[in-house]
Amino acid sequence: MAQSLEEILEQAEKTRSDLADLLAQIAAEREALKADIAEAHEAMQGLRTATREAKEEMRQSGKAEARKHLAKQMRAAAEILARE
């Protein structure tokens, strides 16, 4: 039942070939993962920028609303003073 040296060498070559294929597959998957991570990082940066811009718009909108409210109060006060 002992294997011949030739059979052992064939089996070793097949195992080496299988391992090389697995290594190539892992390398390809690693590169795809790196690309996905880079894309996700870009998307996160875009979200951060959009959030920052939205916060600034809200702040500016709040200022404008505060100015309108103040102007309305000042007009009301001027009307009261004009009546007296």
Side-chain angles (χ1 to χ4, degrees):
M1 290 292 169
Q3 291 181 330
S4 70
L5 182 58
E6 192 173 286
E7 290 172 335
I8 293 172
L9 287 174
E10 285 177 14
Q11 189 177 16
E13 178 58 30
K14 180 174 180 346
T15 301
R16 187 201 64 77
S17 176
D18 290 346
L19 289 173
D21 291 345
L22 284 173
L23 185 59
Q25 181 182 351
I26 290 170
E29 289 174 2
R30 181 175 181 257
E31 289 304 312
L33 183 59
K34 285 168 71 176
D36 289 345
I37 289 171
E39 186 178 334
H41 181 72
E42 250 182 73
M44 287 171 45
Q45 290 293 4
L47 286 173
R48 285 187 186 117
T49 299
T51 301
R52 191 171 37 253
E53 289 172 356
K55 284 181 181 178
E56 178 61 21
E57 284 179 22
M58 286 173 33
R59 189 177 70 78
Q60 292 297 330
S61 175
K63 281 184 179 179
E65 289 300 316
R67 283 190 206 108
K68 287 178 188 176
H69 183 67
L70 180 59
K72 185 177 180 180
Q73 286 180 331
M74 290 175 70
R75 281 191 301 273
E79 287 176 13
I80 291 171
L81 288 173
R83 286 186 219 150
E84 293 177 2

